[in-house]
């Protein structure tokens, strides 16, 4: 709020002096987003990468603000790709295009990090802003112990797929929204979203050897997303099993993601 009133004062002063129009967007950083990294482009434009929390293995939403002279740039042409340098090889990760959101005053998108930063390699976000490329090193933490939010599997057709848990992001006892995304790993840098698959879903609490009733297998919702319901009847270690089919072809059997809460 302080920042906004400061900018308003500044803008009104400048307006009085005739160099500021009321249409100039002001900077309003969302307080509930966490700043991950900042960098400066050659034209002095600032790029700020934000997340809901620290970047972690699995599905992560990202938010990018571009500012110049303290003003939001909302119509820039911006894209990005996540790249992991593992020494002997580099690879990407499933990710989306960026679209501007008036809700968060930022360009929004997602990444599915498939492995953490560490001895095996380091991650960077390669941005392209109005034609200029800039790489920002980032730290990707491991998923919390007991959680497996992303899985790569080889199908019977020898194609490689990536499955990621989107929801529940904050699991609770009872019926939770369940959302997963599925990608084909076409190359190490190309992960198209997969639509038209059929998922059969069954959650099991492995340590106590029981499942739960009233689950709903996720059905396609477009853009590689599948939505259903998962019933966690108690806290603990849940293993979410999926049988994945494309028509009559079984792509994966008992592919699982783990949730511990
Ligand atoms: Cu890697």
């Amino acid at each position: 709020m302080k920042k906004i009133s400061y900018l308003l004062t500044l803008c009104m002063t400048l307006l009085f002096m005739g160099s500021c129009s009321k249409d100039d967007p002001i900077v309003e950083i969302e307080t509930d987003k966490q700043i991950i990294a900042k960098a400066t482009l050659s034209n002095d434009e600032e790029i700020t990468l934000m997340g809901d929390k620290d970047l972690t293995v699995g599905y992560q939403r990202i938010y990018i603000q571009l500012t110049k002279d303290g003003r939001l740039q909302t119509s820039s042409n911006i894209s990005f790709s996540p790249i992991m340098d593992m020494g002997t090889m580099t690879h990407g990760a499933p990710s989306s295009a960026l679209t501007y959101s008036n809700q968060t005053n930022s360009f929004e998108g997602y990444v599915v990090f498939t492995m953490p930063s560490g001895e095996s390699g380091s991650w960077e976000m390669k941005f392209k802003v109005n034609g200029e490329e800039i790489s920002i090193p980032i730290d990707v933490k491991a998923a919390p112990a007991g959680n497996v939010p992303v899985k790569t599997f080889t199908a019977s057709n020898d194609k490689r797929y990536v499955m990621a848990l989107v929801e529940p992001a904050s699991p609770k006892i009872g019926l939770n929204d369940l959302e997963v995304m599925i990608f084909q790993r076409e190359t190490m840098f190309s992960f198209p979203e997969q639509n038209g698959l059929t998922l059969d879903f069954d959650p099991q609490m492995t340590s106590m050897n029981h499942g739960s009733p009233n689950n709903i297998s996720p059905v396609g919702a477009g853009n590689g997303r599948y939505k259903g319901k998962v019933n966690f009847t108690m806290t603990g270690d849940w293993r979410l099993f999926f049988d994945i089919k494309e028509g009559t072809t079984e792509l994966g059997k008992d592919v699982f993601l783990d949730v511990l809460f």
Side-chain angles (χ1 to χ4, degrees), residues 84 86 91 115 123:
M84 190 187 208
M86 301 188 71
H91 65 82
M115 48 195 303
W123 284 99

Side-chain angles (χ1 to χ4, degrees), residues 99-110:
T99 47
Y100 193 79
S101 158
N102 288 311
Q103 240 102 62
T104 57
N105 290 328
S106 63
F107 294 90
E108 283 190 39
Y110 72 79

Side-chain angles (χ1 to χ4, degrees), residues 37-144:
K38 280 178 186 271
T40 307
L41 294 158
S42 63
N43 64 356
D44 288 337
E45 219 167 276
E46 275 224 346
I47 177 167
T48 306
L49 168 64
M50 295 175 287
D52 291 313
K53 52 184 174 56
D54 286 341
L55 296 179
T56 309
V57 166
Y59 175 92
Q60 306 279 293
R61 289 208 68 80
I62 58 164
Y63 311 85
I64 291 117
Q65 277 189 334
L66 286 169
T67 56
K68 176 122 194 236
D69 301 329
R71 296 205 173 77
L72 273 180
Q73 309 295 300
T74 60
S75 56
S76 305
N77 187 348
I78 177 169
S79 61
F80 83 107
S81 44
I83 297 179
M84 190 187 208
D85 183 352
M86 301 188 71
T88 52
M89 57 94 85
T90 57
H91 65 82
S95 61
S96 67
L98 296 170
T99 47
Y100 193 79
S101 158
N102 288 311
Q103 240 102 62
T104 57
N105 290 328
S106 63
F107 294 90
E108 283 190 39
Y110 72 79
V111 192
V112 176
F113 291 110
T114 46
M115 48 195 303
S117 307
E119 281 170 27
S120 57
S122 51
W123 284 99
E124 63 181 31
M125 292 285 214
K126 195 189 240 179
F127 287 98
K128 198 168 187 182
V129 185
N130 296 327
E132 181 178 347
E133 284 193 359
I134 185 166
S135 280
I136 304 181
I138 51 165
D139 184 44
V140 178
K141 295 187 159 48

Side-chain angles (χ1 to χ4, degrees), residues 11-60:
C11 205
M12 277 160 78
T13 310
L14 289 171
L15 196 61
F16 194 69
M17 289 155 54
S19 67
C20 186
S21 92
K22 67 176 174 32
D23 295 330
D24 280 341
I26 55 169
V27 177
E28 191 184 328
I29 299 223
E30 279 286 297
T31 48
D32 64 332
K33 304 292 176 239
Q34 184 166 324
I35 294 175
I36 308 285
K38 280 178 186 271
T40 307
L41 294 158
S42 63
N43 64 356
D44 288 337
E45 219 167 276
E46 275 224 346
I47 177 167
T48 306
L49 168 64
M50 295 175 287
D52 291 313
K53 52 184 174 56
D54 286 341
L55 296 179
T56 309
V57 166
Y59 175 92
Q60 306 279 293

